[in-house]
Amino acid sequence: MTFLSLLKVALHRLRSRVLLSLLVLFTMALTVTLTVCIPAFSGAVSLRMMQEEIDKRSDVKGLPVFAVEITAEPTDRSPMTLPDIERAHDRFRDLSERELRLPLSSTGFEMESPVYRLAPQDDGTRYNTNYLAGVRVVAVAGAGNVVEITEGAALGNVPDSDRLAVWINEAFLNDMAMQVGERYLLGGIYSSADEGIPIEILGAFRVLPGAFESRSLAGRYGRDLLTTPDQFDRHISPEIPESTLYVAWHYVFDESRLNLSRAESYIAALQGIERQARRELPAGRMGIGPMEELLRGHQRKISLSLVLYGFTLPTLIFLLTFAASLSAMQARYQEQEIATLVSRGATPSHILGLAGAETIVMMLMAVPLGTALGLLLALGLGYAGSFLTFVAREPLTVTLSSVDWLPVFAVVGANLGVRLVTAWRVRGLTIVTHSHQATRQKHKRTALTVFYMFVLGAITVYAYRQLQQRGVLALGSLDALDPRNDPLLLLAPTLFLFSVPLFALELFEAVAAILGFLGRFIPSTTAYLGLVNLARGGSYLRLPTYVLIMSLSMGVFYASMARSADIWLVDTQRYAHGADLTFKVGPKEDAVGASSPGMLTVPTVPEEEFLTLSGVHGATRVGDFQASVHGAREVAYVRLLAINRATFPQVAYYRSDYAASSLGELMNRLAETSDGILM
């Protein structure tokens, strides 16, 4: 039997029961959805945190996440002309794309001159000085993505003139009371008044927010003159031995193709690019590169993915179990077809090939559907404020590139394995054996099944007792070899969710058997047949009943877990501060503005005056000190808080499960001992 014939028969079998096939398809798509959603959401959250870190480091909001700057400082022995700079730009652009395997969204370079003296022309009577300001001339390739021309000629629209065409920052233009079209001279700091490079201001610009190059445009370029590389090469380079004092190449990569799981390979590639820059360029180095942010983002993605996979594991197993139930149901409906094929000479490999072809057809539709649903789910999770509560906020950057496909392939393989195991169980079914089995089905409880239930129950009880003794669902550290770590603590909820429905299922079968026996004594024929069929059809009802019990248990578990997480988050903030509003009192400055050494002056405002403020219900004074244990060498510094025991209970957040005693009793105990410390 060829593959095309198997595929034809598989499509016919799937069309014969469309609703059941669609249900199997949707179950497979849901397993793919969860495995796609977790890394996509973790990567999007880590990417947002990387953006915040980079913005904080650069003091500019909205900078690209993956931007690289390579710099060089030419000398008179190693000058760099404009053709040299352009060749280096192309060289490192190709090297970066090849090593990082990420597409570039924008590139450019800049050239910088020494500091010049901006001076008026001799024929002008407007200024009474020959020194207006110290400025540099900066040429930026691709500056149209960096600045916006607010007045004058467009950037790059240079007339045929012997003067250097420049554009000036509009803030600097207004501060110096200059105008577009005016002409000045650029001279050395110690040159004579009539020497210099003639320039003409063709326009004014302002820095575009969020551009990578703009991180320093507002500062370094705030008093500098902007020009084109050709103008720089024509007027500035011949005046200095180095041709240019400073060069920087900028490369911005498409962050939508970024996968933080490959952060280590990105870092290795960036280190290789920096080594190449040091070898090829004068004083070459990588001025800016997101190495630290990539490493932290990689660690955050792994940690968040592990936590989410840990909580999602019961759902994944449940979906696989449900898929097994549907596959068994589908195989039951197709038993007569399989028996006919086997009776006509079909081998077990034909039956397995037929099941595999059906699974491949459904997976070809389930994987794209599940991937799309997973990305949408990850995007929707970005709007979650708490359990079943969503808020309006800036959407996360969810991309297909951040998906880890290894778990997806594992889920696809698991679904394929479930289908093949189901087909393997009926591989030798003939018409005769099918007719014999159809008369009566009964589940046989083997010794292996009993042993499995006993082991699962024992492990579940042990994990529950360990969790009860420790009192917290957490590991001692992130080190897998740490002896304090017990992996069963993280698996305790999953073990409980799967073992309790299993034992409940055994109880259900026992009750069904008892009802089937009692049905013999019921005079009603309908009741008798119903109870007897219920007892005899236990093997068919085991898996659906198990799935039903487990789905109800999982709904309660996830709802309680989400609600507990919301309460924990609120309590964490309350426990950290205790009050709704806190503030610290710093050292008092003397007349010259310096703090007195060793002296801390605290305002003596009575606490009662704070109570006169609108909305204040309680106030107390708390002293925060750093202390050490006398005579202990290996004990770290501790935080010592000095409180007013009479007013502290009025503002402190306290809960009955914090301690066995009330807060008032603890305050009284603290007052009874003059040298006592409340831990």
Side-chain angles (χ1 to χ4, degrees):
M1 187 179 293
T2 62
F3 177 76
L4 292 178
S5 59
L6 283 175
L7 186 61
K8 183 178 179 180
V9 175
L11 292 174
H12 179 74
R13 284 158 59 95
L14 292 175
R15 287 198 304 266
S16 62
R17 297 187 181 274
V18 178
L19 294 180
L20 184 58
S21 299
L22 290 177
L23 187 58
V24 175
L25 172 65
F26 185 68
T27 304
M28 293 179 177
L30 284 180
T31 58
V32 176
T33 297
L34 292 179
T35 52
V36 167
C37 171
I38 291 174
F41 176 72
S42 302
V45 172
S46 302
L47 194 65
R48 176 62 57 82
M49 297 180 71
M50 281 183 60
Q51 181 74 68
E52 295 176 355
E53 290 175 351
I54 292 174
D55 292 347
K56 184 177 180 180
R57 180 192 66 186
S58 305
D59 293 329
V60 178
K61 185 177 181 181
L63 290 181
V65 172
F66 206 135
V68 176
E69 180 187 67
I70 299 174
T71 63
E73 297 178 9
T75 62
D76 54 351
R77 294 184 177 182
S78 300
M80 294 194 72
T81 61
L82 180 58
D84 297 332
I85 294 173
E86 291 176 342
R87 282 193 297 268
H89 171 266
D90 297 338
R91 162 88 172 104
F92 284 100
R93 179 196 60 197
D94 299 337
L95 179 64
S96 301
E97 284 187 309
R98 183 175 65 252
E99 296 295 328
L100 292 170
R101 291 183 292 174
L102 287 174
L104 284 164
S105 58
S106 65
T107 64
F109 62 86
E110 64 181 60
M111 308 160 62
E112 185 177 297
S113 74
V115 177
Y116 286 111
R117 172 176 52 86
L118 180 64
Q121 288 185 332
D122 295 337
D123 54 355
T125 59
R126 181 177 174 184
Y127 300 100
N128 57 5
T129 178
N130 289 325
Y131 181 85
L132 300 179
V135 296
R136 291 184 177 91
V137 179
V138 178
V140 179
N145 300 324
V146 180
V147 299
E148 178 185 7
I149 302 301
T150 58
E151 183 182 356
L155 188 64
N157 188 7
V158 180
D160 187 10
S161 173
D162 293 335
R163 292 181 176 273
L164 173 64
V166 298
W167 286 258
I168 189 171
N169 190 297
E170 61 176 357
F172 184 42
L173 185 74
N174 296 329
D175 291 341
M176 299 297 295
M178 298 178 179
Q179 295 181 1
V180 174
E182 292 183 338
R183 298 177 177 182
Y184 296 87
L185 289 176
L186 293 180
I189 297 297
Y190 301 105
S191 62
S192 59
D194 57 349
E195 294 180 353
I197 303 172
I199 67 171
E200 181 179 357
I201 301 177
L202 295 187
F205 70 89
R206 70 179 182 89
V207 179
L208 292 176
F212 170 52
E213 295 85 349
S214 69
R215 75 194 187 285
S216 54
L217 278 173
R220 191 180 72 196
Y221 293 172
R223 298 174 63 86
D224 292 348
L225 307 178
L226 186 63
T227 188
T228 63
D230 293 335
Q231 286 285 299
F232 190 98
D233 185 60
R234 178 181 176 184
H235 297 279
I236 302 297
S237 294
E239 301 295 328
I240 54 179
E242 304 91 344
S243 294
T244 177
L245 192 67
Y246 173 86
V247 188
W249 295 267
H250 304 125
Y251 303 95
V252 179
F253 295 89
D254 187 4
E255 62 188 47
S256 64
R257 302 288 296 275
L258 179 66
N259 188 348
L260 290 175
S261 299
R262 297 183 55 239
E264 294 180 354
S265 63
Y266 293 149
I267 293 174
L270 290 175
Q271 291 173 346
I273 295 172
E274 184 175 15
R275 288 192 297 267
Q276 196 73 14
R278 293 182 183 275
R279 286 194 298 264
E280 297 183 5
L281 302 175
R285 66 185 184 91
M286 184 173 291
I288 292 179
M291 295 188 186
E292 295 182 1
E293 289 82 2
L294 282 172
L295 185 59
R296 287 195 294 267
H298 174 58
Q299 294 173 348
R300 279 193 294 261
K301 181 179 179 180
I302 291 178
S303 301
L304 183 56
S305 296
L306 287 176
V307 172
L308 293 178
Y309 272 125
F311 285 112
T312 313
L313 183 61
T315 305
L316 289 174
I317 299 178
F318 165 75
L319 290 174
L320 291 176
T321 305
F322 187 64
S325 174
L326 294 177
S327 299
M329 185 182 302
Q330 197 171 30
R332 179 186 175 188
Y333 288 135
Q334 296 172 348
E335 283 181 355
Q336 188 172 1
E337 299 175 8
I338 296 175
T340 303
L341 292 174
V342 173
S343 299
R344 292 184 177 182
T347 62
S349 60
H350 293 155
I351 303 302
L352 293 178
L354 188 59
E358 291 180 359
T359 307
I360 291 174
V361 170
M362 286 189 289
M363 276 300 173
L364 290 176
M365 295 182 287
V367 171
L369 177 61
T371 302
L373 292 177
L375 296 177
L376 289 176
L377 180 60
L379 184 63
L381 287 176
Y383 296 100
S386 60
F387 179 56
L388 295 181
T389 302
F390 299 91
V391 296
R393 58 164 63 108
E394 185 180 355
L396 295 175
T397 305
V398 178
T399 62
L400 185 63
S401 301
S402 62
V403 176
D404 296 332
W405 294 104
L406 184 59
V408 177
F409 293 150
V411 167
V412 171
N415 281 282
L416 180 60
V418 167
R419 299 279 297 180
L420 293 179
V421 168
T422 304
W424 180 260
R425 296 177 59 182
V426 297
R427 68 191 184 283
L429 197 64
T430 63
I431 296 178
V432 177
T433 55
H434 170 65
S435 301
H436 181 267
Q437 292 183 8
T439 57
R440 180 170 297 184
Q441 290 278 354
K442 185 174 181 59
H443 172 70
K444 295 181 180 180
R445 187 177 291 102
T446 61
L448 183 61
T449 305
V450 176
F451 177 75
Y452 165 75
M453 293 178 56
F454 174 78
V455 172
L456 182 62
I459 295 176
T460 303
V461 172
Y462 169 78
Y464 179 77
R465 290 181 62 86
Q466 288 292 105
L467 182 61
Q468 189 178 29
Q469 292 177 3
R470 186 167 298 189
V472 59
L473 187 64
L475 299 178
S477 68
L478 294 178
D479 187 4
L481 300 179
D482 194 329
R484 298 174 298 169
N485 291 341
D486 190 350
L488 288 179
L489 288 177
L490 294 178
L491 295 177
T494 304
L495 291 171
F496 183 83
L497 285 175
F498 282 90
S499 60
V500 171
L502 185 61
F503 286 99
L505 183 61
E506 296 297 328
L507 180 62
F508 166 76
E509 275 202 292
V511 172
I514 294 174
L515 292 177
F517 175 76
L518 295 178
R520 301 177 181 179
F521 306 100
I522 298 178
S524 174
T525 304
T526 303
Y528 166 74
L529 292 177
L531 293 177
V532 170
N533 288 332
L534 179 64
R536 291 179 178 179
S539 60
Y540 293 142
L541 298 176
R542 284 180 60 85
L543 201 51
T545 305
Y546 181 74
V547 170
L548 177 62
I549 298 174
M550 191 166 61
S551 60
L552 294 176
S553 303
M554 288 176 58
V556 175
F557 168 73
Y558 282 117
S560 61
M561 183 65 69
R563 180 58 180 165
S564 300
D566 289 344
I567 296 175
W568 172 83
L569 181 61
V570 174
D571 289 349
T572 300
Q573 299 300 319
R574 289 180 174 176
Y575 187 77
H577 302 288
D580 296 330
L581 176 64
T582 61
F583 61 92
K584 295 181 180 180
V585 179
K588 182 179 179 180
E589 297 184 350
D590 55 20
V592 296
S595 301
S596 302
M599 184 69 65
L600 183 66
T601 303
V602 180
T604 57
V605 179
E607 299 174 3
E608 292 76 10
E609 292 195 15
F610 291 100
L611 299 177
T612 60
L613 300 177
S614 176
V616 176
H617 299 283
T620 188
R621 198 182 309 276
V622 178
D624 194 348
F625 307 98
Q626 189 181 50
S628 61
V629 180
H630 181 68
R633 297 181 179 179
E634 298 181 356
V635 178
Y637 285 97
V638 296
R639 185 183 181 191
L640 180 64
L641 299 178
I643 62 174
N644 184 346
R645 73 172 187 89
T647 57
F648 181 74
Q650 302 174 6
V651 300
Y653 175 76
Y654 188 78
R655 218 169 59 186
S656 60
D657 57 345
Y658 285 169
S661 304
S662 63
L663 183 58
E665 183 178 352
L666 295 176
M667 295 296 101
N668 293 333
R669 291 182 184 179
L670 189 62
E672 291 175 357
T673 307
S674 59
D675 56 351
I677 296 178
L678 183 62
M679 301 285 292

